[in-house]
mmCIF file of all heavy atoms in Angstrom:
data_model
loop_
_atom_site.group_PDB
_atom_site.id
_atom_site.type_symbol
_atom_site.label_atom_id
_atom_site.label_comp_id
_atom_site.label_asym_id
_atom_site.label_seq_id
_atom_site.Cartn_x
_atom_site.Cartn_y
_atom_site.Cartn_z
ATOM 1 N N MET A 1 9.700 20.617 11.171
ATOM 2 C CA MET A 1 8.496 21.396 10.749
ATOM 3 C C MET A 1 8.341 21.278 9.225
ATOM 4 O O MET A 1 7.243 20.983 8.736
ATOM 5 C CB MET A 1 8.706 22.905 11.113
ATOM 6 C CG MET A 1 7.516 23.757 10.696
ATOM 7 S SD MET A 1 6.100 23.362 11.670
ATOM 8 C CE MET A 1 4.950 24.552 10.926
ATOM 9 N N ASN A 2 9.397 21.380 8.548
ATOM 10 C CA ASN A 2 9.322 21.288 7.067
ATOM 11 C C ASN A 2 9.006 19.898 6.647
ATOM 12 O O ASN A 2 8.258 19.652 5.739
ATOM 13 C CB ASN A 2 10.672 21.703 6.450
ATOM 14 C CG ASN A 2 10.884 23.237 6.594
ATOM 15 O OD1 ASN A 2 9.936 23.984 6.650
ATOM 16 N ND2 ASN A 2 12.147 23.695 6.556
ATOM 17 N N LYS A 3 9.542 18.898 7.445
ATOM 18 C CA LYS A 3 9.257 17.505 7.126
ATOM 19 C C LYS A 3 7.799 17.251 7.283
ATOM 20 O O LYS A 3 7.189 16.591 6.449
ATOM 21 C CB LYS A 3 10.109 16.618 8.012
ATOM 22 C CG LYS A 3 9.921 15.143 7.737
ATOM 23 C CD LYS A 3 10.830 14.298 8.640
ATOM 24 C CE LYS A 3 10.633 12.844 8.262
ATOM 25 N NZ LYS A 3 11.522 11.992 9.089
ATOM 26 N N ILE A 4 7.272 17.745 8.390
ATOM 27 C CA ILE A 4 5.810 17.490 8.608
ATOM 28 C C ILE A 4 5.020 18.130 7.525
ATOM 29 O O ILE A 4 4.097 17.529 6.974
ATOM 30 C CB ILE A 4 5.424 18.059 10.008
ATOM 31 C CG1 ILE A 4 6.078 17.234 11.090
ATOM 32 C CG2 ILE A 4 3.862 17.998 10.162
ATOM 33 C CD1 ILE A 4 5.855 17.775 12.490
ATOM 34 N N ASN A 5 5.353 19.306 7.183
ATOM 35 C CA ASN A 5 4.605 19.992 6.128
ATOM 36 C C ASN A 5 4.667 19.265 4.794
ATOM 37 O O ASN A 5 3.666 19.167 4.087
ATOM 38 C CB ASN A 5 5.146 21.409 5.956
ATOM 39 C CG ASN A 5 4.735 22.266 7.165
ATOM 40 O OD1 ASN A 5 3.792 21.973 7.830
ATOM 41 N ND2 ASN A 5 5.487 23.370 7.376
ATOM 42 N N TYR A 6 5.836 18.713 4.510
ATOM 43 C CA TYR A 6 5.939 18.000 3.208
ATOM 44 C C TYR A 6 5.135 16.733 3.211
ATOM 45 O O TYR A 6 4.499 16.415 2.241
ATOM 46 C CB TYR A 6 7.410 17.649 2.931
ATOM 47 C CG TYR A 6 8.237 18.889 2.471
ATOM 48 C CD1 TYR A 6 9.416 19.181 3.119
ATOM 49 C CD2 TYR A 6 7.820 19.656 1.376
ATOM 50 C CE1 TYR A 6 10.194 20.323 2.732
ATOM 51 C CE2 TYR A 6 8.542 20.739 0.979
ATOM 52 C CZ TYR A 6 9.709 21.030 1.627
ATOM 53 O OH TYR A 6 10.430 22.136 1.155
ATOM 54 N N ASN A 7 5.113 16.051 4.380
ATOM 55 C CA ASN A 7 4.274 14.829 4.465
ATOM 56 C C ASN A 7 2.838 15.166 4.349
ATOM 57 O O ASN A 7 2.070 14.472 3.698
ATOM 58 C CB ASN A 7 4.573 14.126 5.819
ATOM 59 C CG ASN A 7 5.933 13.475 5.825
ATOM 60 O OD1 ASN A 7 6.469 13.135 4.816
ATOM 61 N ND2 ASN A 7 6.497 13.329 7.083
ATOM 62 N N TYR A 8 2.460 16.244 4.957
ATOM 63 C CA TYR A 8 1.082 16.636 4.868
ATOM 64 C C TYR A 8 0.681 16.945 3.409
ATOM 65 O O TYR A 8 -0.333 16.484 2.934
ATOM 66 C CB TYR A 8 0.830 17.833 5.717
ATOM 67 C CG TYR A 8 -0.562 18.402 5.644
ATOM 68 C CD1 TYR A 8 -1.620 17.772 6.331
ATOM 69 C CD2 TYR A 8 -0.834 19.519 4.872
ATOM 70 C CE1 TYR A 8 -2.882 18.307 6.217
ATOM 71 C CE2 TYR A 8 -2.073 20.045 4.792
ATOM 72 C CZ TYR A 8 -3.149 19.415 5.445
ATOM 73 O OH TYR A 8 -4.397 19.913 5.349
ATOM 74 N N ILE A 9 1.542 17.692 2.830
ATOM 75 C CA ILE A 9 1.227 18.068 1.393
ATOM 76 C C ILE A 9 1.205 16.864 0.545
ATOM 77 O O ILE A 9 0.335 16.690 -0.332
ATOM 78 C CB ILE A 9 2.268 19.070 0.901
ATOM 79 C CG1 ILE A 9 2.137 20.383 1.704
ATOM 80 C CG2 ILE A 9 2.143 19.312 -0.638
ATOM 81 C CD1 ILE A 9 3.234 21.407 1.387
ATOM 82 N N PHE A 10 2.175 15.923 0.798
ATOM 83 C CA PHE A 10 2.241 14.702 -0.019
ATOM 84 C C PHE A 10 0.999 13.846 0.145
ATOM 85 O O PHE A 10 0.347 13.413 -0.840
ATOM 86 C CB PHE A 10 3.476 13.934 0.357
ATOM 87 C CG PHE A 10 3.604 12.589 -0.367
ATOM 88 C CD1 PHE A 10 4.006 12.581 -1.687
ATOM 89 C CD2 PHE A 10 3.265 11.413 0.316
ATOM 90 C CE1 PHE A 10 4.119 11.349 -2.349
ATOM 91 C CE2 PHE A 10 3.383 10.228 -0.399
ATOM 92 C CZ PHE A 10 3.780 10.205 -1.708
ATOM 93 N N ASN A 11 0.580 13.662 1.423
ATOM 94 C CA ASN A 11 -0.642 12.896 1.711
ATOM 95 C C ASN A 11 -1.886 13.549 1.109
ATOM 96 O O ASN A 11 -2.803 12.936 0.601
ATOM 97 C CB ASN A 11 -0.818 12.708 3.204
ATOM 98 C CG ASN A 11 0.218 11.799 3.781
ATOM 99 O OD1 ASN A 11 0.691 10.893 3.044
ATOM 100 N ND2 ASN A 11 0.588 11.980 5.074
ATOM 101 N N PHE A 12 -1.888 14.835 1.115
ATOM 102 C CA PHE A 12 -3.032 15.563 0.617
ATOM 103 C C PHE A 12 -3.124 15.388 -0.915
ATOM 104 O O PHE A 12 -4.251 15.156 -1.441
ATOM 105 C CB PHE A 12 -2.911 17.064 0.924
ATOM 106 C CG PHE A 12 -4.047 17.871 0.348
ATOM 107 C CD1 PHE A 12 -5.288 17.877 0.917
ATOM 108 C CD2 PHE A 12 -3.788 18.627 -0.826
ATOM 109 C CE1 PHE A 12 -6.291 18.687 0.368
ATOM 110 C CE2 PHE A 12 -4.831 19.376 -1.351
ATOM 111 C CZ PHE A 12 -6.060 19.415 -0.808
ATOM 112 N N GLU A 13 -2.016 15.416 -1.540
ATOM 113 C CA GLU A 13 -2.042 15.256 -2.964
ATOM 114 C C GLU A 13 -2.472 13.818 -3.346
ATOM 115 O O GLU A 13 -3.274 13.684 -4.303
ATOM 116 C CB GLU A 13 -0.651 15.542 -3.579
ATOM 117 C CG GLU A 13 -0.295 17.007 -3.565
ATOM 118 C CD GLU A 13 1.102 17.273 -4.109
ATOM 119 O OE1 GLU A 13 1.838 16.273 -4.336
ATOM 120 O OE2 GLU A 13 1.440 18.447 -4.367
ATOM 121 N N ILE A 14 -1.945 12.841 -2.553
ATOM 122 C CA ILE A 14 -2.391 11.488 -2.861
ATOM 123 C C ILE A 14 -3.874 11.356 -2.649
ATOM 124 O O ILE A 14 -4.581 10.757 -3.456
ATOM 125 C CB ILE A 14 -1.639 10.467 -1.936
ATOM 126 C CG1 ILE A 14 -0.161 10.455 -2.289
ATOM 127 C CG2 ILE A 14 -2.227 9.119 -2.013
ATOM 128 C CD1 ILE A 14 0.709 9.671 -1.365
ATOM 129 N N ASN A 15 -4.404 11.850 -1.515
ATOM 130 C CA ASN A 15 -5.824 11.805 -1.256
ATOM 131 C C ASN A 15 -6.688 12.547 -2.351
ATOM 132 O O ASN A 15 -7.746 12.085 -2.686
ATOM 133 C CB ASN A 15 -6.137 12.387 0.151
ATOM 134 C CG ASN A 15 -5.574 11.490 1.242
ATOM 135 O OD1 ASN A 15 -5.414 10.281 0.985
ATOM 136 N ND2 ASN A 15 -5.278 12.113 2.387
ATOM 137 N N TYR A 16 -6.163 13.615 -2.793
ATOM 138 C CA TYR A 16 -6.839 14.410 -3.806
ATOM 139 C C TYR A 16 -6.991 13.605 -5.058
ATOM 140 O O TYR A 16 -8.044 13.486 -5.650
ATOM 141 C CB TYR A 16 -6.125 15.724 -4.082
ATOM 142 C CG TYR A 16 -6.645 16.479 -5.284
ATOM 143 C CD1 TYR A 16 -7.828 17.149 -5.185
ATOM 144 C CD2 TYR A 16 -5.926 16.419 -6.446
ATOM 145 C CE1 TYR A 16 -8.287 17.857 -6.282
ATOM 146 C CE2 TYR A 16 -6.403 17.148 -7.568
ATOM 147 C CZ TYR A 16 -7.547 17.814 -7.507
ATOM 148 O OH TYR A 16 -8.053 18.507 -8.606
ATOM 149 N N TYR A 17 -5.886 13.044 -5.490
ATOM 150 C CA TYR A 17 -5.921 12.303 -6.766
ATOM 151 C C TYR A 17 -6.758 10.996 -6.593
ATOM 152 O O TYR A 17 -7.467 10.578 -7.507
ATOM 153 C CB TYR A 17 -4.484 11.881 -7.209
ATOM 154 C CG TYR A 17 -3.754 13.110 -7.814
ATOM 155 C CD1 TYR A 17 -2.661 13.634 -7.134
ATOM 156 C CD2 TYR A 17 -4.162 13.690 -8.991
ATOM 157 C CE1 TYR A 17 -1.971 14.748 -7.665
ATOM 158 C CE2 TYR A 17 -3.463 14.771 -9.504
ATOM 159 C CZ TYR A 17 -2.352 15.304 -8.854
ATOM 160 O OH TYR A 17 -1.760 16.395 -9.393
ATOM 161 N N PHE A 18 -6.687 10.425 -5.448
ATOM 162 C CA PHE A 18 -7.504 9.237 -5.217
ATOM 163 C C PHE A 18 -9.002 9.593 -5.237
ATOM 164 O O PHE A 18 -9.815 8.926 -5.846
ATOM 165 C CB PHE A 18 -7.156 8.624 -3.860
ATOM 166 C CG PHE A 18 -8.045 7.508 -3.452
ATOM 167 C CD1 PHE A 18 -7.841 6.239 -4.008
ATOM 168 C CD2 PHE A 18 -9.036 7.651 -2.519
ATOM 169 C CE1 PHE A 18 -8.694 5.206 -3.658
ATOM 170 C CE2 PHE A 18 -9.853 6.641 -2.171
ATOM 171 C CZ PHE A 18 -9.682 5.402 -2.744
ATOM 172 N N PHE A 19 -9.306 10.651 -4.519
ATOM 173 C CA PHE A 19 -10.697 11.148 -4.464
ATOM 174 C C PHE A 19 -11.210 11.486 -5.856
ATOM 175 O O PHE A 19 -12.329 11.124 -6.264
ATOM 176 C CB PHE A 19 -10.781 12.321 -3.530
ATOM 177 C CG PHE A 19 -12.183 12.882 -3.400
ATOM 178 C CD1 PHE A 19 -13.137 12.192 -2.665
ATOM 179 C CD2 PHE A 19 -12.550 14.054 -4.104
ATOM 180 C CE1 PHE A 19 -14.420 12.666 -2.550
ATOM 181 C CE2 PHE A 19 -13.781 14.541 -3.917
ATOM 182 C CZ PHE A 19 -14.736 13.863 -3.201
ATOM 183 N N ARG A 20 -10.263 12.166 -6.557
ATOM 184 C CA ARG A 20 -10.714 12.611 -7.919
ATOM 185 C C ARG A 20 -10.983 11.353 -8.795
ATOM 186 O O ARG A 20 -11.933 11.286 -9.547
ATOM 187 C CB ARG A 20 -9.618 13.497 -8.554
ATOM 188 C CG ARG A 20 -10.098 14.110 -9.878
ATOM 189 C CD ARG A 20 -9.056 14.992 -10.454
ATOM 190 N NE ARG A 20 -7.954 14.227 -10.928
ATOM 191 C CZ ARG A 20 -6.959 14.736 -11.660
ATOM 192 N NH1 ARG A 20 -6.955 16.022 -11.913
ATOM 193 N NH2 ARG A 20 -5.969 13.960 -12.104
ATOM 194 N N SER A 21 -10.155 10.352 -8.670
ATOM 195 C CA SER A 21 -10.335 9.149 -9.472
ATOM 196 C C SER A 21 -11.621 8.454 -9.049
ATOM 197 O O SER A 21 -12.354 7.948 -9.896
ATOM 198 C CB SER A 21 -9.097 8.195 -9.243
ATOM 199 O OG SER A 21 -7.948 8.791 -9.704
ATOM 200 N N LEU A 22 -11.867 8.447 -7.767
ATOM 201 C CA LEU A 22 -13.096 7.826 -7.304
ATOM 202 C C LEU A 22 -14.301 8.554 -7.833
ATOM 203 O O LEU A 22 -15.316 7.895 -8.313
ATOM 204 C CB LEU A 22 -13.069 7.840 -5.763
ATOM 205 C CG LEU A 22 -14.337 7.192 -5.103
ATOM 206 C CD1 LEU A 22 -14.432 5.702 -5.465
ATOM 207 C CD2 LEU A 22 -14.208 7.314 -3.583
ATOM 208 N N VAL A 23 -14.297 9.880 -7.744
ATOM 209 C CA VAL A 23 -15.448 10.665 -8.258
ATOM 210 C C VAL A 23 -15.610 10.432 -9.702
ATOM 211 O O VAL A 23 -16.745 10.263 -10.204
ATOM 212 C CB VAL A 23 -15.238 12.134 -7.878
ATOM 213 C CG1 VAL A 23 -16.314 12.980 -8.634
ATOM 214 C CG2 VAL A 23 -15.299 12.384 -6.433
ATOM 215 N N LEU A 24 -14.491 10.413 -10.435
ATOM 216 C CA LEU A 24 -14.612 10.241 -11.908
ATOM 217 C C LEU A 24 -15.164 8.857 -12.215
ATOM 218 O O LEU A 24 -15.997 8.670 -13.125
ATOM 219 C CB LEU A 24 -13.229 10.398 -12.593
ATOM 220 C CG LEU A 24 -12.698 11.838 -12.625
ATOM 221 C CD1 LEU A 24 -11.312 11.866 -13.177
ATOM 222 C CD2 LEU A 24 -13.590 12.671 -13.543
ATOM 223 N N SER A 25 -14.722 7.860 -11.409
ATOM 224 C CA SER A 25 -15.275 6.526 -11.595
ATOM 225 C C SER A 25 -16.798 6.451 -11.422
ATOM 226 O O SER A 25 -17.576 5.881 -12.187
ATOM 227 C CB SER A 25 -14.579 5.538 -10.677
ATOM 228 O OG SER A 25 -13.216 5.484 -11.008
ATOM 229 N N VAL A 26 -17.219 7.111 -10.329
ATOM 230 C CA VAL A 26 -18.685 7.134 -10.012
ATOM 231 C C VAL A 26 -19.421 7.820 -11.131
ATOM 232 O O VAL A 26 -20.507 7.378 -11.584
ATOM 233 C CB VAL A 26 -18.913 7.843 -8.660
ATOM 234 C CG1 VAL A 26 -20.411 8.018 -8.444
ATOM 235 C CG2 VAL A 26 -18.330 7.017 -7.520
ATOM 236 N N ILE A 27 -18.884 8.960 -11.557
ATOM 237 C CA ILE A 27 -19.494 9.692 -12.630
ATOM 238 C C ILE A 27 -19.660 8.821 -13.874
ATOM 239 O O ILE A 27 -20.698 8.801 -14.566
ATOM 240 C CB ILE A 27 -18.786 11.059 -12.946
ATOM 241 C CG1 ILE A 27 -18.945 11.971 -11.706
ATOM 242 C CG2 ILE A 27 -19.279 11.663 -14.186
ATOM 243 C CD1 ILE A 27 -18.098 13.233 -11.829
ATOM 244 N N LEU A 28 -18.536 8.145 -14.212
ATOM 245 C CA LEU A 28 -18.566 7.324 -15.413
ATOM 246 C C LEU A 28 -19.582 6.192 -15.316
ATOM 247 O O LEU A 28 -20.288 5.877 -16.226
ATOM 248 C CB LEU A 28 -17.156 6.732 -15.709
ATOM 249 C CG LEU A 28 -16.124 7.760 -16.175
ATOM 250 C CD1 LEU A 28 -14.720 7.088 -16.211
ATOM 251 C CD2 LEU A 28 -16.535 8.275 -17.566
ATOM 252 N N ILE A 29 -19.596 5.561 -14.075
ATOM 253 C CA ILE A 29 -20.594 4.536 -13.830
ATOM 254 C C ILE A 29 -22.014 5.088 -13.994
ATOM 255 O O ILE A 29 -22.904 4.476 -14.571
ATOM 256 C CB ILE A 29 -20.381 3.889 -12.464
ATOM 257 C CG1 ILE A 29 -19.081 3.099 -12.432
ATOM 258 C CG2 ILE A 29 -21.552 2.992 -12.118
ATOM 259 C CD1 ILE A 29 -18.676 2.662 -11.044
ATOM 260 N N PHE A 30 -22.247 6.268 -13.430
ATOM 261 C CA PHE A 30 -23.534 6.891 -13.525
ATOM 262 C C PHE A 30 -23.933 7.151 -14.973
ATOM 263 O O PHE A 30 -25.051 6.919 -15.421
ATOM 264 C CB PHE A 30 -23.556 8.171 -12.682
ATOM 265 C CG PHE A 30 -24.860 8.936 -12.753
ATOM 266 C CD1 PHE A 30 -25.945 8.526 -12.037
ATOM 267 C CD2 PHE A 30 -24.958 10.040 -13.608
ATOM 268 C CE1 PHE A 30 -27.134 9.226 -12.133
ATOM 269 C CE2 PHE A 30 -26.146 10.747 -13.666
ATOM 270 C CZ PHE A 30 -27.287 10.315 -12.923
ATOM 271 N N LEU A 31 -22.968 7.772 -15.655
ATOM 272 C CA LEU A 31 -23.207 8.114 -17.064
ATOM 273 C C LEU A 31 -23.510 6.886 -17.872
ATOM 274 O O LEU A 31 -24.358 6.859 -18.737
ATOM 275 C CB LEU A 31 -22.012 8.950 -17.616
ATOM 276 C CG LEU A 31 -21.864 10.333 -17.124
ATOM 277 C CD1 LEU A 31 -20.602 10.991 -17.665
ATOM 278 C CD2 LEU A 31 -23.094 11.187 -17.458
#
């Protein structure tokens, strides 16, 4: 249970940072 939770949290953080980078890139390109 804890292992699954940690993987989920880890994957979420990776996706968050990736998404944030993507959004920032789009914003920069737009700007």
Side-chain angles (χ1 to χ4, degrees):
M1 181 69 180
N2 289 335
K3 183 178 181 180
I4 294 173
N5 289 338
Y6 283 128
N7 288 334
Y8 175 79
I9 293 171
F10 177 76
N11 290 330
F12 177 78
E13 288 178 351
I14 292 174
N15 291 336
Y16 170 76
Y17 285 113
F18 175 78
F19 180 76
R20 188 178 71 172
S21 297
L22 180 62
V23 171
L24 288 174
S25 296
V26 173
I27 292 173
L28 288 172
I29 292 170
F30 178 78
L31 290 175

